Amino acid sequence: MTSTSSSPVTETILNFIDGSYRKGSEGKSFPNVNPATGSQIGLVHEASQADVADAVTAAKAALTGPWGKMTTAERVKLIAAVATEIERRADDFLAAEVADTGKPRHVASHIDIPRGAANFRMFADVVSTMPGESFNTSTPDGGQALNYTVRKPKGVVAVVCPWNFPLLLMTWKVGPALACGNTVVVKPSEETPRTAALLGEVMNAVGMPKGVYNVVHGFGPGSAGEFLTSNPDVDAITFTGETGTGQAIMQKAAIGVRDISFELGGKNPAIVFADADLDKAVEGLSRSVFLNTGQVCLGTERVYVERPIFDAFVARMAAAAQGFKPGVTGDRAYLGPLISAEHREKVLGYYRRAVEDGATVVTGGGVPEISGAEAGGFFVEPTLWIDVAHGDTVMREEIFGPCCGIVPFDSEDEVIALANDTVYGLCASIWTENMSRGHRVAAAMDVGVCWVNSWFLRDLRTAFGGSGHSGIGREGGVHSLEFYTEITNICVKL
Ligand code: NAD
């Protein structure tokens, strides 16, 4: 059996447990919908508590099986083979990701799928060149001791994922977890189960031992998400998603004192100084507001612009926004749908709230008129607001849609205070041609990542994560090894 059956309308998406595809043991399933059309395109088999327990048991057993006995070199070779196989099957992954998310093909083919493969290849490299640590220690009797550390896998890692970049964000966790010798049980978002399921075929094709990679489908509370995070045989939980969900998972992780790594929400600011290169700023910021229809944790939802260029900037951003045409086919291939009808209602609620609170809509603010197959899709218009106050809901809460408020400022100190006045701390971007100011203001941002004259320019070796309500811990490069390994210090009296 493969991850899915063949007919697209009745396609069934299966759990992947101990190397085999399985239906849910309680016979439950839920619909899989294409957000670009609103049509059901498949059925997802929901894992029961017993299925989740089976997946965890398989993952635990795999730790002491052939996988646990592999040398680092053997393991890393297998992980690099996963990257190569994803690339070989890029069209299948692309079709699966586009079906689940409705996103334009060019977004998935340029970002989601290549990064899915890169996440395995990069962490295979990091682990093969992982540095060790040793100290010569003076002992009280005038002798010497050698102190060194060894790193071991944490064990069974639960990977709970969101829907905005399903393969990319899942492999960002699975890649380093496996490279470090752990085994994983993945709970993909209920909205986007396909690429996680398909990765099971890749694992089998490269000869990954059974039980190393497992996938269980379902929802959060009372379903696979909660069953997984509360399973006592899970040794660590890595989660990407909403801050509120992170809090719920943290409570489960407290039982048994399990380690967590959280990448959560944001309300990311951008600061545009009057000396910025306006072409670059508008190009970069329109991407940061509208890419993936604003469903990017790193997306910009607050833009502060120095007063002398405020009007010019707003006019340029409005023109750029109008270039993002909602739709995914033909000449409308720029702005994809939101992930679900429910999420569109949430975003439209913020569109209404902005106006109620006194904002002026520069462009957008509603639902576009689309005919044909996409008429039932969950599209919204790209939207910009001015005349928004710092305390307005749309300037404080994460919306996760293609929209932002634009606000003028007069001084560097003022704008640093405004940008930092949020419970979140994920990322920021600064736009200026004065590099002294660029470095100074970037260092003053209370965030995990700050870009200067760019956005979403990622080097996977760097530390990634957020502060405050945006997360706990950092992953990326050697930072991932801190989470996915346990250290033992060995002290040898010489
Ligand atoms: P979500 O929190 O609703 O769901 C994420 C996952 O958690 C899903 O698989 C869901 O089924 C599961 N889940 C929900 N409740 C659970 C529970 N009680 N126990 C266990 N699992 C549970 O998030 P989402 O709507 O899928 O994703 C959007 C959010 O993710 C946004 O807030 C966005 O900012 C955030 N995000 C953050 C980053 C980052 O790197 N910081 C990256 C992408 C997305």
Side-chain angles (χ1 to χ4, degrees):
M1 210 186 300
T2 53
S3 55
T4 59
S5 69
S6 55
S7 160
V9 180
T10 55
E11 205 164 2
T12 55
I13 297 129
L14 299 165
N15 301 289
F16 183 70
I17 298 172
D18 205 15
S20 303
Y21 285 98
R22 285 201 209 168
K23 297 181 173 177
S25 61
E26 286 177 2
K28 285 197 204 166
S29 59
F30 56 93
N32 176 237
V33 171
N34 181 340
T37 61
S39 306
Q40 181 175 338
I41 51 170
L43 268 186
V44 189
H45 278 262
E46 186 174 350
S48 65
Q49 186 153 15
D51 299 329
V52 174
D54 278 358
V56 175
T57 302
K60 191 172 179 181
L63 288 167
T64 50
W67 175 249
K69 295 185 177 69
M70 272 182 201
T71 62
T72 303
E74 288 166 335
R75 204 166 66 222
V76 155
K77 200 169 156 201
L78 210 44
I79 288 162
V82 172
T84 305
E85 183 67 4
I86 293 174
E87 284 159 353
R88 195 184 70 76
R89 296 196 59 186
D91 287 347
D92 296 335
F93 277 96
L94 184 58
E97 207 72 302
V98 167
D100 267 353
T101 60
K103 64 176 77 185
R105 285 177 73 82
H106 70 270
V107 174
S109 66
H110 282 93
I111 301 176
D112 299 66
I113 312 305
R115 260 293 297 278
N119 284 336
F120 284 101
R121 189 160 287 125
M122 198 275 295
F123 285 107
D125 286 348
V126 169
V127 165
S128 15
T129 54
M130 177 161 55
E133 177 180 72
S134 74
F135 300 97
N136 285 323
T137 307
S138 302
T139 59
D141 61 3
Q144 289 279 307
L146 173 64
N147 267 298
Y148 65 98
T149 52
V150 291
R151 285 180 184 270
K152 300 172 200 159
K154 276 241 164 83
V156 177
V157 179
V159 183
V160 183
C161 310
W163 43 257
N164 55 338
F165 291 97
L167 180 71
L168 183 162
L169 290 170
M170 186 255 297
T171 52
W172 171 244
K173 312 293 198 164
V174 172
L178 298 191
C180 291
N182 301 281
T183 57
V184 296
V185 181
V186 173
K187 211 299 278 171
S189 168
E190 52 274 34
E191 309 284 359
T192 54
R194 286 170 191 254
T195 45
L198 188 55
L199 191 59
E201 291 182 24
V202 167
M203 295 293 171
N204 283 348
V206 303
M208 187 66 76
K210 289 178 180 181
V212 172
Y213 174 81
N214 305 274
V215 181
V216 290
H217 297 298
F219 303 84
S223 182
E226 185 179 348
F227 301 151
L228 178 60
T229 52
S230 52
N231 187 304
D233 283 331
V234 165
D235 299 294
I237 304 168
T238 180
F239 168 71
T240 307
E242 286 185 9
T243 301
T245 311
Q247 288 176 20
I249 291 178
M250 204 166 177
Q251 289 176 345
K252 301 293 177 196
I255 304 162
V257 201
R258 276 94 53 78
D259 204 357
I260 50 166
S261 174
F262 282 175
E263 292 174 4
L264 308 176
K267 189 71 186 174
N268 310 308
I271 302 175
V272 187
F273 286 97
D275 64 4
D277 179 322
L278 213 51
D279 289 338
K280 281 190 217 155
V282 170
E283 192 278 326
L285 285 174
S286 55
R287 267 194 321 117
S288 81
V289 177
F290 303 121
L291 180 76
N292 214 39
T293 319
Q295 302 166 119
V296 183
C297 57
L298 303 169
T300 304
E301 292 193 357
R302 300 182 286 149
V303 181
Y304 299 99
V305 182
E306 204 166 4
R307 202 174 296 274
I309 61 159
F310 183 78
D311 291 342
F313 177 85
V314 171
R316 298 276 295 272
M317 273 295 278
Q322 285 152 12
F324 283 82
K325 304 288 185 204
V328 290
T329 50
D331 60 353
R332 289 180 159 269
Y334 299 107
L335 197 70
L338 294 172
I339 192 68
S340 62
E342 189 190 7
H343 187 51
R344 179 163 72 168
E345 259 325 292
K346 181 181 157 194
V347 171
L348 289 174
Y350 283 110
Y351 282 17
R352 289 190 291 272
R353 182 65 194 260
V355 174
E356 285 160 20
D357 286 346
T360 301
V361 179
V362 178
T363 185
V367 174
E369 277 188 29
I370 298 182
S371 56
E374 291 164 18
F378 311 129
F379 296 94
V380 292
E381 290 176 331
T383 297
L384 301 175
W385 301 291
I386 55 172
D387 302 323
V388 278
H390 185 60
D392 285 358
T393 304
V394 295
M395 293 300 281
R396 303 205 71 79
E397 296 181 8
E398 182 185 51
I399 301 171
F400 227 53
C403 53
C404 73
I406 313 177
V407 174
F409 71 88
D410 295 300
S411 77
E412 190 177 304
D413 288 348
E414 175 202 5
V415 78
I416 289 171
L418 285 171
N420 281 339
D421 184 23
T422 169
V423 293
Y424 294 108
L426 189 53
C427 73
S429 67
I430 315 284
W431 300 83
T432 176
E433 291 298 298
N434 175 342
M435 271 311 115
S436 295
R437 173 151 58 197
H439 287 287
R440 184 172 64 238
V441 177
M445 291 292 101
D446 296 334
V447 293
V449 189
C450 186
W451 283 282
V452 179
N453 294 333
S454 63
W455 174 77
F456 209 165
L457 188 58
R458 293 276 292 118
D459 182 327
L460 304 185
R461 296 167 299 182
T462 58
F464 181 82
S467 57
H469 289 203
S470 290
I472 295 180
R474 296 291 184 273
E475 296 195 35
V478 293
H479 305 279
S480 292
L481 308 185
E482 294 303 324
F483 179 69
Y484 294 105
T485 59
E486 202 65 77
I487 289 179
T488 302
N489 168 214
I490 298 174
C491 177
V492 183
K493 176 88 163 64
L494 299 175

